[in-house]
Amino acid sequence: MLKVPEHQVAGHIAKDGKLGPLVDDRGRFYKPLQGDARGENEAKFYESFSSNKNVPDHIRGYFPVYHGVQLVEASDGSGKLPHMVLEDVVSSYVKPSVMDVKIGSRTWYPDVSEEYFNKCIKKDRATTTVSLGFRVSGLKIFDCQESGFWRPDKRVVLAYKADGARTALRKFVSSNSLADDSVPDCAYASEVYGGSNGILMQLLEVKAWFETQTLYHFNSCSVLMVYENESGGDEERRPQVKLVDFAHVLDGNGVIDHNFFGGLCSFIKFIQDILESSDNRCENGH
Amino acid sequence: MLKVPEHQVAGHIAKDGKLGPLVDDRGRFYKPLQGDARGENEAKFYESFSSNKNVPDHIRGYFPVYHGVQLVEASDGSGKLPHMVLEDVVSSYVKPSVMDVKIGSRTWYPDVSEEYFNKCIKKDRATTTVSLGFRVSGLKIFDCQESGFWRPDKRVVLAYKADGARTALRKFVSSNSLADDSVPDCAYASEVYGGSNGILMQLLEVKAWFETQTLYHFNSCSVLMVYENESGGDEERRPQVKLVDFAHVLDGNGVIDHNFFGGLCSFIKFIQDILESSDNRCENGH
């Protein structure tokens, strides 16, 4: 039995009879191949990536596992359609906070149509893509005080300027009320962003690969960040970084992906700044 | 007595009664403040940078020394005009090979006029700026066989694709004839690009600063590379990297210069690839 994913924060959503991804209860994510070349291109990327011996094993872990293409009943009632079968990254979390950050200072790339170029660059200039080298595409944060999920409207998220993006990244790791204007306390910053298995260390590992890899150019690709809010006995937050959305990946042709790399480093600096300021706060006893 | 610089490879040239930079015989470079805001902006940058205590000393060496603004007789005969007085980077070289590489995957930036945006993005897409994150703006290479300088036409340089840029970077350190289609031998690669004082080590030092610096965004700024071809007793090539052209520098506002940084890292990869392939050739005895 396939159902609509509960924790999807960006991209096409399979509801109200629309076409979108589905999940099963065994931890798999079914992403329909879109009608145009994008779906084909993403499946082609997963095929290439899965079998590419030049990708180091520790880097492979930052990508959803790929299980091929399967015909499954589409969410829009149009019958059986080909879907990529992927690892459902959030399936093992009970109350996951999730954020999708699209990396790069542009989402278009050489040789796209003028129509696509115009559409992308307009959005890139209207969001923080050009100014920061990344934009928050969607987020969903578990609010401990309200004991439910807080999820800002998509239009609000895409209208973030630098300060908005910074605040969202602080709220993502805060315990105080999210919907109002109180200053985020960054209570979980050290557990989620920091530490030897935290988001920052994972991003730095991804960064080190991008510094030299010339296999692929990850146009319009996102970093997905997830962590657990269910507090059982052990309080393990299991922060996790995954790269997702490969509909616009191209061959690197011997050139590094300077667009993704620059944006990723800018994003990393934002995370480092939050960690530093929350460390200082602890030291000062606030 | 001021004269037209002999080794300028990009930017406005002071000849045929046009306004351009001049040099004196004491190693100073006089750059006219252009009529619009650009000249003002560049002088403002030099003032800010010169007095900025957050810039490490070893980084300061990668920028021309600034000696303030002076009124001097302009090259276009329009009388005395304000000029920035800068270090003439090539003045201590007898036969310098020089290359100007504009860094970044865009030369425009947020909040420019639509006219300027359109002009820049057209050129960025037509050159390697978008695809490689840098473009060769000009070069002048001493040709040992011809015992003179080889300087491709500006239109040819701006029409380079990835292969053209790679070949230019190989020719820049080659001893064989430059004008024809023979494969560049990269005879000076290890002396110029390699070694503990070579271009690569200097670029890596600049890169390390850009990884975290959020003081300035160096839009439309170039890396200038110079080395000596005069073979006296000691054969010292004195490879040197300088950053130049700051008419479009903006405050960083706490964000790293992901555009310059990404492009610089892509450029560095090109240099590393040339060094590696020329090392391999030596090892194989070719």
Side-chain angles (χ1 to χ4, degrees):
Chain A
M1 273 299 291
L2 301 184
K3 54 182 188 185
V4 176
E6 209 180 329
H7 304 295
Q8 193 188 336
V9 297
H12 300 275
I13 310 278
K15 59 175 187 188
D16 308 328
K18 288 190 190 137
L19 186 63
L22 297 167
V23 292
D24 65 16
D25 52 11
R26 298 182 311 155
R28 296 198 171 185
F29 186 87
Y30 297 78
K31 189 170 180 181
L33 270 75
Q34 285 151 307
D36 54 19
R38 287 181 293 174
E40 292 286 339
N41 201 50
E42 184 159 24
K44 228 173 59 191
F45 165 75
Y46 272 114
E47 295 285 349
S48 157
F49 186 83
S50 309
S51 60
N52 194 327
K53 293 195 171 54
N54 294 314
V55 177
D57 283 341
H58 71 281
I59 290 302
R60 226 170 264 288
Y62 292 110
F63 291 75
V65 179
Y66 174 66
H67 302 284
V69 170
Q70 252 182 50
L71 277 178
V72 306
E73 205 68 42
S75 64
D76 62 353
S78 63
K80 291 208 168 190
L81 283 183
H83 287 63
M84 287 168 272
V85 186
L86 303 168
E87 172 191 1
D88 180 7
V89 175
V90 299
S91 68
S92 67
Y93 293 79
V94 181
K95 292 173 185 163
S97 286
V98 184
M99 190 185 284
D100 181 298
V101 182
K102 200 185 275 282
I103 304 292
S105 69
R106 55 171 164 77
T107 54
W108 58 280
Y109 40 96
D111 304 325
V112 294
S113 71
E114 279 309 287
E115 190 193 341
Y116 187 74
F117 166 76
N118 286 324
K119 189 183 130 185
C120 288
I121 196 143
K122 195 177 162 190
K123 201 164 175 183
D124 294 350
R125 295 177 79 185
T127 62
T128 60
T129 289
V130 168
S131 57
L132 305 186
F134 66 87
R135 70 174 175 245
V136 179
S137 296
L139 65 152
K140 175 176 178 170
I141 312 180
F142 187 74
D143 189 323
C144 313
Q145 299 190 341
E146 303 288 332
S147 201
F149 285 97
W150 177 74
R151 182 176 181 153
D153 188 83
K154 188 174 175 136
R155 284 161 299 184
V156 172
V157 172
L158 288 177
Y160 285 160
K161 300 293 166 205
D163 284 349
R166 202 180 297 273
T167 303
L169 288 168
R170 297 178 69 95
K171 282 191 172 182
F172 188 61
V173 291
S174 290
S175 70
N176 53 345
S177 188
L178 295 162
D180 65 28
D181 284 339
S182 54
V183 177
D185 61 15
C186 295
Y188 316 136
S190 63
E191 286 169 79
V192 174
Y193 290 153
S196 58
N197 298 312
I199 298 281
L200 177 61
M201 287 306 288
Q202 295 180 50
L203 291 172
L204 290 174
E205 205 165 31
V206 172
K207 176 193 162 189
W209 184 57
F210 271 88
E211 199 134 6
T212 56
Q213 78 85 10
T214 62
L215 302 170
Y216 304 106
H217 282 192
F218 291 87
N219 302 298
S220 216
C221 161
S222 287
V223 158
L224 194 74
M225 304 189 293
V226 193
Y227 72 87
E228 181 61 271
N229 292 280
E230 172 80 337
S231 48
D234 54 354
E235 300 279 337
E236 182 54 84
R237 296 210 169 263
R238 293 189 291 129
Q240 191 182 186
V241 164
K242 291 274 182 189
L243 301 195
V244 296
D245 294 338
F246 308 111
H248 300 280
V249 172
L250 293 180
D251 278 352
N253 287 323
V255 177
I256 69 162
D257 188 353
H258 51 89
N259 175 57
F260 187 96
F261 181 67
L264 181 66
C265 291
S266 173
F267 181 62
I268 285 172
K269 185 67 165 62
F270 272 69
I271 302 290
Q272 282 170 330
D273 287 351
I274 292 172
L275 269 171
E276 270 176 34
S277 64
S278 64
D279 282 359
N280 291 342
R281 198 164 331 154
C282 292
E283 280 163 24
N284 296 334
H286 295 300
Chain B
M1 272 299 292
L2 301 184
K3 56 182 188 189
V4 176
E6 210 180 327
H7 304 294
Q8 194 188 334
V9 297
H12 300 275
I13 310 278
K15 61 177 185 186
D16 308 328
K18 287 189 191 138
L19 186 62
L22 298 166
V23 292
D24 65 15
D25 53 10
R26 299 182 311 155
R28 295 197 173 184
F29 186 87
Y30 298 78
K31 188 170 181 180
L33 271 75
Q34 285 151 305
D36 53 21
R38 288 180 292 174
E40 292 285 340
N41 201 49
E42 184 159 23
K44 226 173 60 189
F45 166 75
Y46 273 114
E47 294 285 349
S48 156
F49 185 83
S50 309
S51 59
N52 194 327
K53 293 194 170 57
N54 293 315
V55 177
D57 282 340
H58 71 282
I59 290 302
R60 224 168 266 287
Y62 292 109
F63 291 76
V65 179
Y66 174 65
H67 302 284
V69 170
Q70 250 181 51
L71 277 179
V72 305
E73 205 69 41
S75 64
D76 62 353
S78 63
K80 292 210 168 188
L81 283 183
H83 287 63
M84 286 167 273
V85 187
L86 303 168
E87 172 190 3
D88 180 6
V89 175
V90 299
S91 67
S92 68
Y93 293 79
V94 181
K95 293 172 183 164
S97 286
V98 184
M99 190 184 285
D100 181 297
V101 182
K102 200 183 275 281
I103 304 293
S105 68
R106 54 171 164 77
T107 55
W108 57 280
Y109 38 96
D111 303 326
V112 293
S113 71
E114 279 309 288
E115 189 191 344
Y116 187 74
F117 165 75
N118 287 323
K119 189 183 129 185
C120 288
I121 196 142
K122 196 176 162 189
K123 202 164 175 182
D124 293 350
R125 295 178 79 186
T127 62
T128 60
T129 289
V130 168
S131 57
L132 305 185
F134 65 87
R135 69 174 176 245
V136 179
S137 296
L139 65 151
K140 177 178 178 168
I141 312 181
F142 188 73
D143 189 324
C144 312
Q145 299 192 339
E146 303 290 331
S147 202
F149 285 97
W150 176 74
R151 181 176 180 154
D153 188 84
K154 188 175 174 132
R155 283 162 301 184
V156 172
V157 172
L158 289 177
Y160 286 159
K161 300 292 166 206
D163 284 349
R166 204 180 296 274
T167 303
L169 288 168
R170 296 178 68 94
K171 283 192 172 183
F172 188 61
V173 292
S174 290
S175 70
N176 54 344
S177 189
L178 296 162
D180 64 27
D181 284 339
S182 54
V183 177
D185 61 14
C186 296
Y188 316 138
S190 62
E191 287 170 79
V192 175
Y193 291 153
S196 59
N197 299 312
I199 298 281
L200 177 60
M201 287 306 290
Q202 295 179 50
L203 290 173
L204 290 174
E205 205 165 33
V206 172
K207 176 194 162 187
W209 184 57
F210 270 89
E211 200 135 5
T212 56
Q213 79 85 10
T214 62
L215 302 169
Y216 304 105
H217 282 193
F218 291 89
N219 302 299
S220 216
C221 161
S222 287
V223 158
L224 194 74
M225 304 189 292
V226 194
Y227 72 88
E228 181 61 273
N229 293 280
E230 172 79 337
S231 47
D234 54 354
E235 300 280 337
E236 182 52 87
R237 296 210 169 263
R238 295 189 289 130
Q240 192 183 184
V241 163
K242 291 275 181 187
L243 301 195
V244 295
D245 295 338
F246 308 110
H248 300 281
V249 172
L250 293 180
D251 277 353
N253 288 323
V255 178
I256 69 162
D257 188 353
H258 50 90
N259 176 57
F260 187 95
F261 181 66
L264 181 66
C265 291
S266 173
F267 181 62
I268 285 172
K269 185 66 165 62
F270 272 69
I271 302 289
Q272 282 170 329
D273 287 350
I274 293 172
L275 268 171
E276 270 175 35
S277 63
S278 62
D279 281 359
N280 292 343
R281 200 166 330 157
C282 290
E283 282 163 22
N284 297 333
H286 296 300

